[in-house]
Amino acid sequence: QVQLVESGGGLVQAGGSLRLSCAASGTIFVFTTMGWYRQAPGQQRELVARIPSMGRINYADSAKGRFTISRDNAKNTVYLQMTSLRPDDTGVYYCNLDQSGRIYWGQGTQVTVSS
């Protein structure tokens, strides 16, 4: 079993920055993909960025140039550094781990960007 615990959300003004963290615990394989998704009010959950153990990082178009995803494999932790935040970045941000096709989700952390 895998548990994901996110932290780092909060309220920030437009143009500000936040750093989200997600620590995975339990049985973690060597090759995994970790990522961040967000869900705005009334909207479907959407990909923000994901990073495999090896390989290319993917960003949503809205995140390119503003957000940076990184991971510390020794700590089984993934980070999302968000800069130049906009009100439409508001939502609940969920950590995701894909392990041999089995998907795990964190409980989510709220990010609110005020204008």
Side-chain angles (χ1 to χ4, degrees):
Q1 194 59 285
V2 173
Q3 295 81 40
L4 302 173
V5 178
E6 302 109 331
S7 60
L11 173 64
V12 64
Q13 289 189 330
S17 300
L18 280 174
R19 187 188 192 218
L20 306 183
S21 300
C22 171
S25 62
T27 303
I28 310 295
F29 297 166
V30 173
F31 298 106
T32 63
T33 296
M34 299 187 77
W36 289 96
Y37 290 70
R38 72 181 173 205
Q39 188 165 18
Q43 303 293 321
Q44 290 189 335
R45 194 174 298 187
E46 61 179 7
L47 173 71
V48 176
R50 60 184 171 210
I51 179 169
S53 301
M54 296 176 63
R56 191 174 69 178
I57 293 172
N58 296 113
Y59 290 100
D61 287 344
S62 61
K64 289 177 182 177
R66 300 187 301 126
F67 295 178
T68 302
I69 190 170
S70 60
R71 63 188 288 171
D72 183 334
N73 291 328
K75 296 181 179 179
N76 291 321
T77 300
V78 64
Y79 306 95
L80 185 68
Q81 178 68 49
M82 304 187 291
T83 64
S84 302
L85 283 161
R86 310 184 302 223
D88 61 0
D89 293 317
T90 294
V92 179
Y93 283 68
Y94 295 92
C95 179
N96 167 281
L97 185 145
D98 181 344
Q99 181 161 270
S100 297
R102 191 160 185 178
I103 307 297
Y104 300 90
W105 294 96
Q107 81 284 357
T109 185
Q110 177 70 44
V111 172
T112 303
V113 184
S114 63
S115 58

